[in-house]
Amino acid sequence: MSSVILNALGHSADELSKMVQTSLQGGNGGELFMTGTRHFSQTLSNGILQQPSVALIKGGSVRRINGQETPFVVFDGFAAHDLNNALNLISKVPQGKAPTVNLTASGIAPKTSYYTQNDAFEGVELDVLQAYVVDLLREIDSYARQQDTRVANVDVQVAIAGQDKLIVRADGRVLSEYRPKCQFVVNVVLIEGDKKESSSENFGLPFTYTELLNARDDLRAMVDRCIEKASNNLTAIPAKGGDDFEVVFGPGFSGGVVLHEAVGHGFEGDFHSKDIASFQGKIGERVAAKGVTVYEDGTVANARGSYNFDDEGNAPEKTLLIDDGIMVGLINDELSAAALNMPLTGNGRRESYKHKPMPRMSNTYMEAGNATLDELIGSVKKGYYVMELNGGQVDIVSSKFVQNGTVVREINNGQLGAYVKGVSVAGKGNESYKHIIGVANDFEISKNGMCGKEGQSVPVTTGQGSMLFAKGALKVGGSA
Amino acid sequence: MKHLDTCKRAVQLALQKGASDAACTISTDEKTTISVNKGQSEGLSASTGVSMGIKVFLGQKVASFAVNDLSDESVTESVETALMLAKGSPENKFEGLADKSLVGKVSEQEVALIDAVDKTAPFTPEQMLQMAIDMEDAAYAVPSVAAVCSSDVKQGRDTSYTYLSNGFEGVEEDTWYQLVIDPVAGTGDKKVTSYDYSVAFHQADLDSVQTVGKTAGEKAAAMLNQVQLPSSGKMPVVFSPEISSSLMKGCLKACLNGAAIYAEKSLLDKSSIGKKLFGSNVTLLDDRLKPRGLSSSAFSVSGIIGPQSVKFVEDGVVQNFTMGVITARKLGMSPDLGREGMHNAYFKPSDISVKDMLSDIKLGLYVTGTMGRGFTAENGNISYTVEGYLIRDGFLTGEFVLEATIAGNLVEMLNSATFANDLTDRNGLNASTTRVDSLTVS
């Protein structure tokens, strides 16, 4: 096995495996988790190039599983002294009394990767890379300003990163991989008279830098969408609120965020093992309308949320959560699977080596339906078409969720009407989804998405076709 | 002061290799956390961290490098790479360290006044575990508390070392202690959750674990008495001190941010200074030297010390923005206040009691929680999902509304806002109970 991290530590995989097994023996599991990340980013803001930033961050942590008790030691850097110290500290933790964790799918090294393992920087020197990035930033800025004279500010950022990861498990298995990542973010501000509106687009995908540079047409299209959205919002009128609106969410990120917040979080096993989940005890029960089928799937090729093994070293899976409206599965890591005596689903993820893993989503999506978006909109007497959201929030205990719409249109008697602003949409995840009356065939999976839970952020995606909620399923907050 | 020496070495190396200026900061942190679930430990987490950021200047060409390996080879590589990138960067006319004439010297008296380091020995892991268990027990002792999401005890120590080639050096250190608990009341589809916490630089300033656990449990239990909002429309809204500081001050802070103003991402612009945009009741000021204040600071990262207190809004008139050196240059203003951000900022309270503030409200909402991202700084529009208690006939009731929405505009809110006399200093940002009459509730 070749690994940048093993080379830096000066250990062979076998040596390190023995060290970790010795340190963690007597417990139920655990692992050494190490990453080395190289990151380059540059921003152009208001016509001025900001300083390039480079970061080189490396470190690791050791976790021991003693039943539900998981002592954890974190260290920065790859120094042998710090690694040995952490392994030594964790070995002194008294052994737990809890039953052995049932590890079913553990430690399977990936045969094929779900994304390229090529160097994000493709071996070029940073100053060469910087020159390419500066060209791209300038090009995007001037492109945006050429499209519309109302453009008052353009912020555009490119970030290129690559991460080496090494996991050595208590059972001795060693896993390593490399993951490239390219991120592009653009924000455009339009000013007309005394009105000001801005709009953003972004993506972050497992690309190398040339794949990003070659995607110029897509990047320009993102600028076009920003301008179109901000321009439409300049005409937007304050929205009326109420609980008698039908609501159509657009495909991909728009409806997908609702799915992620309102449903997905409620299926995370740690909440169930603590008896605090709103979807507690509902396996086998109807939680959504007939026709609603939802998967959590870490194996989608080239998706932002995919991984070759999770942060406990387990293989990702495609897990059925809702089958034709019936709740059938949960999202588990090793601890929650053991506590609930349910299948491990390879969803143990963490923000970085400084954090313990917990059950997290990866790519969460609803199967496409048969309707078309036009049919859904055409069937609405009085409602809103939510085309874009700026993310959302859920109270996992009460199942209450809220989403703030950033691009929203009225629907009156089947016709799209004015753009409106100030729409928030609230509901109860374990109730509202029973009142979906249509899912369209325009399935899309998002190219962006970050999920926060207990202070840890991980990249995710969401996907689905457009969907329609019946009158009364959701409460719309307005600004009129 | 090994780390301050490393900062100096990195800056000197950059100057030797041709930089016209350089800045280096090293931060270290130590943290231990323990969580319990149903009386059982979830394990002690211990972490130590270190990171260094170096910024090099070739005139007005700049680049920065962040790294968490402080070995000599790593520091040298960081400086060399940053210089290489700076060479390839275009000139940025706004870049550069603060002018030498603005840079001050850290006062030891001020550091002593802030008193951010607790000399008491930190809690032992055994003490932390017992505290987390006791806090959880106190929450479970409240009738109808059925579960606890987590009961956490955390402590740590943070230090930062800064050295700038314009001659400034500064070290900042604090110890901190934190208790957090979020209990669940009710069962089945009626479950609700709330939380309470205590955070302080000194152990002696922490609330007791029994108080925090009990308060959190009672807050959750009280939410079970749910009612629907009796009617929609414009009505008085009263924000709890916590919500007022996060919502009202959070929104205003975003608008007073110089970088956002320059980027057209605030409803304010440069000409707002000196204008009366808000009600005469609104005065927002800070205090960077507040003893044991959670966001006290003896200096800013630019090396500018600045006055003890800055008024951002006085009697409704906008007075100052927050800004660093670069933003100040962009706006054509002076960074001499040394306010990259606000320190222990608060809205000046009035002498009206909360009781009197509520006395003429026939029907209103006392907001204890918000959800969503409902604020647009460009235009001040506000639309949040909120929860809270009904106010009827001049009194706060126990009738809890789990879901309502408030809509309006920050400028209108700050024109109708009254701040009660119950200002406390629980957080780094504080506000007293605040009444606003311009919001639509539905």
Side-chain angles (χ1 to χ4, degrees):
Chain A
M1 171 178 283
S2 80
S3 157
V4 173
I5 299 174
L6 283 173
N7 291 344
L9 293 171
H11 288 300
S12 70
D14 282 348
E15 282 165 7
L16 194 59
S17 174
K18 288 205 182 75
M19 287 162 66
V20 171
Q21 285 179 76
T22 306
S23 164
L24 297 181
Q25 70 186 347
N28 303 134
E31 68 286 307
L32 167 69
F33 178 90
M34 297 184 78
T35 57
T37 307
R38 189 175 180 222
H39 179 98
F40 170 88
S41 72
Q42 187 142 27
T43 304
L44 189 149
S45 178
N46 231 335
I48 297 169
L49 275 156
Q50 307 299 306
Q51 56 168 333
S53 293
V54 184
L56 205 54
I57 304 298
K58 40 195 188 179
S61 55
V62 189
R63 180 180 68 143
R64 179 184 172 106
I65 301 180
N66 287 339
Q68 292 294 307
E69 192 173 1
T70 53
F72 185 61
V73 178
V74 183
F75 54 97
D76 266 342
F78 287 166
H81 164 80
D82 293 326
L83 168 66
N84 291 335
N85 187 37
L87 290 172
N88 187 33
L89 270 175
I90 218 84
S91 71
K92 290 185 176 147
V93 175
Q95 190 182 329
K97 296 181 281 291
T100 304
V101 179
N102 177 25
L103 304 176
T104 46
S106 64
I108 299 164
K111 288 196 184 64
T112 54
S113 176
Y114 298 114
Y115 36 85
T116 176
Q117 298 262 302
N118 290 338
D119 177 13
F121 301 85
E122 298 179 39
V124 301
E125 286 294 328
L126 284 174
D127 52 347
V128 176
L129 178 75
Q130 180 191 16
Y132 288 132
V133 170
V134 165
D135 278 351
L136 176 67
L137 294 173
R138 287 198 163 128
E139 187 187 314
I140 294 293
D141 178 70
S142 73
Y143 175 79
R145 291 173 194 274
Q146 280 159 21
Q147 303 313 302
D148 198 312
T149 54
R150 297 171 297 174
V151 171
N153 186 30
V154 182
D155 282 348
V156 53
Q157 184 186 53
V158 166
I160 296 157
Q163 183 175 69
D164 287 293
K165 185 183 288 187
L166 177 76
I167 297 180
V168 185
R169 295 169 47 85
D171 59 18
R173 276 174 276 193
V174 181
L175 299 100
S176 95
E177 71 151 2
Y178 174 81
R179 183 188 181 96
K181 188 174 126 189
C182 280
Q183 186 152 332
F184 177 84
V185 185
V186 59
N187 176 277
V188 180
V189 180
L190 258 58
I191 295 186
E192 188 176 316
D194 59 354
K195 286 186 176 168
K196 203 188 282 185
E197 289 289 344
S198 77
S199 182
S200 295
E201 289 274 325
N202 72 85
F203 76 74
L205 291 168
F207 276 7
T208 67
Y209 88 90
T210 48
E211 288 175 281
L212 174 77
L213 296 181
N214 291 340
R216 274 179 154 78
D217 288 348
D218 294 339
L219 305 184
R220 286 198 197 100
M222 290 165 75
V223 173
D224 293 342
R225 285 200 294 277
C226 285
I227 294 174
E228 189 192 342
K229 289 184 296 182
S231 176
N232 288 332
N233 275 343
L234 282 169
T235 69
I237 55 172
K240 290 185 191 69
D243 49 15
D244 58 344
F245 290 95
E246 292 174 85
V247 182
V248 177
F249 287 93
F253 196 67
S254 174
V257 173
V258 185
L259 179 72
H260 173 100
E261 297 294 342
V263 177
H265 278 294
F267 284 60
E268 288 168 343
D270 49 346
F271 298 131
H272 287 257
S273 72
K274 289 181 172 180
D275 297 327
I276 58 175
S278 53
F279 283 87
Q280 197 84 36
K282 291 189 188 291
I283 289 183
E285 286 180 24
R286 175 161 300 284
V287 294
K290 254 187 114 43
V292 173
T293 293
V294 177
Y295 289 96
E296 152 53 44
D297 184 357
T299 72
V300 181
N302 296 316
R304 179 180 159 77
S306 298
Y307 38 85
N308 292 322
F309 47 86
D310 75 1
D311 297 334
E312 301 182 305
N314 295 314
E317 289 180 16
K318 178 175 176 178
T319 307
L320 184 59
L321 299 180
I322 299 179
D323 185 9
D324 203 16
I326 308 296
M327 178 167 177
V328 294
L330 289 183
I331 297 164
N332 283 314
D333 67 357
E334 293 188 6
L335 280 185
S336 69
L340 295 164
N341 197 19
M342 284 190 68
L344 176 67
T345 58
N347 286 91
R349 302 184 71 192
R350 52 181 125 198
E351 178 176 305
S352 78
Y353 63 87
K354 298 204 167 190
H355 302 90
K356 284 186 193 181
M358 56 182 159
R360 301 297 296 259
M361 286 174 264
S362 57
N363 310 296
T364 312
Y365 52 84
M366 183 190 294
E367 272 190 348
N370 300 320
T372 66
L373 174 59
D374 288 346
E375 286 166 9
L376 295 184
I377 291 170
S379 72
V380 172
K381 271 214 140 38
K382 175 191 169 192
Y384 287 113
Y385 172 37
V386 180
M387 299 155 76
E388 186 182 271
L389 297 158
N390 68 351
Q393 205 182 335
V394 63
D395 171 350
I396 130 96
V397 172
S398 70
S399 208
K400 186 170 77 165
F401 69 89
V402 60
Q403 304 286 335
N404 293 98
T406 44
V407 184
V408 184
R409 289 181 82 167
E410 286 178 348
I411 311 173
N412 297 305
N413 296 318
Q415 299 292 318
L416 285 174
Y419 284 87
V420 292
K421 58 185 169 191
V423 169
S424 65
V425 180
K428 279 193 91 174
N430 58 14
E431 191 54 43
S432 302
Y433 271 70
K434 294 174 187 165
H435 306 286
I436 290 179
I437 48 180
V439 181
N441 57 8
D442 52 351
F443 181 90
E444 254 177 50
I445 205 148
S446 69
K447 292 192 170 76
N448 55 352
M450 283 304 279
C451 167
K453 174 178 171 184
E454 292 167 26
Q456 290 196 45
S457 233
V458 296
V460 295
T461 73
T462 62
Q464 63 173 86
S466 305
M467 66 175 166
L468 168 59
F469 282 95
K471 188 165 97 175
L474 300 172
K475 178 171 166 146
V476 175
S479 53
Chain B
M1 290 297 168
K2 172 182 81 171
H3 290 316
L4 190 61
D5 291 341
T6 306
C7 286
K8 286 182 187 169
R9 244 194 356 263
V11 166
Q12 275 148 11
L13 184 65
L15 297 177
Q16 276 164 24
K17 289 183 179 280
S20 53
D21 263 315
C24 184
T25 296
I26 291 177
S27 306
T28 64
D29 63 84
E30 294 164 29
K31 185 168 86 168
T32 50
T33 302
I34 201 149
S35 303
V36 300
N37 181 27
K38 297 183 182 117
Q40 293 297 307
S41 166
E42 292 187 328
L44 185 79
S45 292
S47 79
T48 54
V50 62
S51 62
M52 178 183 93
I54 174 116
K55 183 171 177 179
V56 301
F57 299 77
L58 291 167
Q60 284 170 315
K61 298 173 159 194
V62 287
S64 69
F65 201 109
V67 70
N68 65 351
D69 175 351
L70 300 194
S71 65
D72 287 349
E73 309 84 75
S74 170
V75 170
T76 305
E77 191 199 333
S78 307
V79 169
E80 286 172 352
T81 309
L83 279 167
M84 175 182 83
L85 286 170
K87 279 195 189 92
S89 291
E91 299 265 338
N92 180 342
K93 61 181 174 179
F94 300 121
E95 275 292 355
L97 294 177
D99 191 84
K100 275 199 172 80
S101 65
L102 293 173
V103 171
K105 211 170 153 20
V106 177
S107 146
E108 283 183 26
Q109 286 83 357
E110 289 188 358
V111 172
L113 184 66
I114 292 171
D115 191 20
V117 178
D118 190 348
K119 305 270 189 324
T120 326
F123 296 121
T124 63
E126 292 74 23
Q127 283 174 317
M128 290 174 74
L129 177 60
Q130 195 56 51
M131 288 166 74
I133 290 171
D134 291 347
M135 184 159 67
E136 198 192 37
D137 283 347
Y140 273 117
V142 175
S144 71
V145 168
V148 171
C149 298
S150 68
S151 174
D152 299 345
V153 176
K154 306 177 186 189
Q155 67 183 5
R157 175 183 287 262
D158 301 319
T159 314
S160 78
Y161 308 82
T162 301
Y163 184 75
L164 312 176
S165 59
N166 62 13
F168 178 79
E169 63 178 68
V171 177
E172 232 165 23
E173 185 172 18
D174 64 58
T175 52
W176 57 269
Y177 300 89
Q178 192 183 353
L179 312 172
V180 198
I181 184 165
D182 39 3
V184 173
T187 52
D189 284 349
K190 297 281 174 231
K191 287 197 289 272
V192 287
T193 181
S194 189
Y195 66 94
D196 197 42
Y197 65 93
S198 177
V199 51
F201 285 147
H202 290 252
Q203 286 176 19
D205 295 341
L206 272 183
D207 293 334
S208 80
V209 289
Q210 285 79 9
T211 306
V212 174
K214 181 166 181 269
T215 307
E218 286 172 351
K219 277 165 78 176
M223 292 166 65
L224 290 171
N225 179 24
Q226 290 176 20
V227 297
Q228 293 292 315
L229 193 69
S231 66
S232 292
K234 221 164 228 187
M235 67 178 77
V237 172
V238 177
F239 295 109
S240 72
E242 221 145 75
I243 300 303
S244 180
S245 56
S246 67
L247 193 149
M248 302 264 298
K249 200 150 76 286
C251 294
L252 185 55
K253 208 172 121 210
C255 294
L256 289 164
N257 178 317
I261 289 165
Y262 180 72
E264 301 287 359
K265 282 177 185 154
S266 164
L267 59 95
L268 302 181
D269 59 36
K270 212 186 135 184
S271 72
S272 302
I273 297 234
K275 283 191 187 151
K276 186 169 188 305
L277 297 180
F278 311 122
S280 303
N281 292 334
V282 180
T283 294
L284 178 68
L285 67 167
D286 77 351
D287 177 5
R288 70 173 177 85
L289 297 180
K290 189 171 149 187
R292 302 188 181 187
L294 291 174
S295 60
S296 292
S297 177
F299 60 90
S300 72
V301 290
S302 62
I304 301 172
I305 308 289
Q308 174 168 359
S309 175
V310 170
K311 283 191 171 129
F312 295 96
V313 178
E314 185 171 26
D315 302 333
V317 180
V318 177
Q319 301 283 2
N320 286 296
F321 302 144
T322 54
M323 65 183 100
V325 172
I326 294 168
T327 303
R329 288 192 191 111
K330 287 176 177 170
L331 291 171
M333 297 172 79
S334 171
D336 57 348
L337 296 174
R339 287 304 195 270
E340 304 254 348
M342 298 177 188
H343 299 287
N344 306 304
Y346 59 100
F347 283 112
K348 195 175 143 191
S350 71
D351 50 16
I352 302 169
S353 69
V354 176
K355 187 168 169 271
D356 288 347
M357 179 179 265
L358 304 183
S359 64
D360 67 328
I361 299 177
K362 272 234 140 330
L363 178 68
L365 189 65
Y366 180 88
V367 175
T368 56
T370 64
M371 271 180 99
R373 305 179 196 179
F375 177 63
T376 318
E378 281 93 335
N379 49 35
N381 288 338
I382 278 175
S383 170
Y384 280 99
T385 295
V386 298
E387 59 188 32
Y389 295 88
L390 290 180
I391 304 164
R392 287 187 195 270
D393 301 320
F395 291 97
L396 189 59
T397 70
E399 297 169 54
F400 186 76
V401 178
L402 183 66
E403 190 183 298
T405 56
I406 54 170
N409 185 281
L410 181 68
V411 177
E412 288 167 17
M413 273 168 73
L414 288 171
N415 269 292
S416 74
T418 327
F419 300 92
N421 64 359
D422 60 338
L423 184 70
T424 61
D425 51 4
R426 214 169 168 221
N427 305 303
L429 314 162
N430 292 291
S432 52
T433 304
T434 307
R435 174 172 167 177
V436 171
D437 282 27
S438 68
L439 290 166
T440 304
V441 183
S442 57

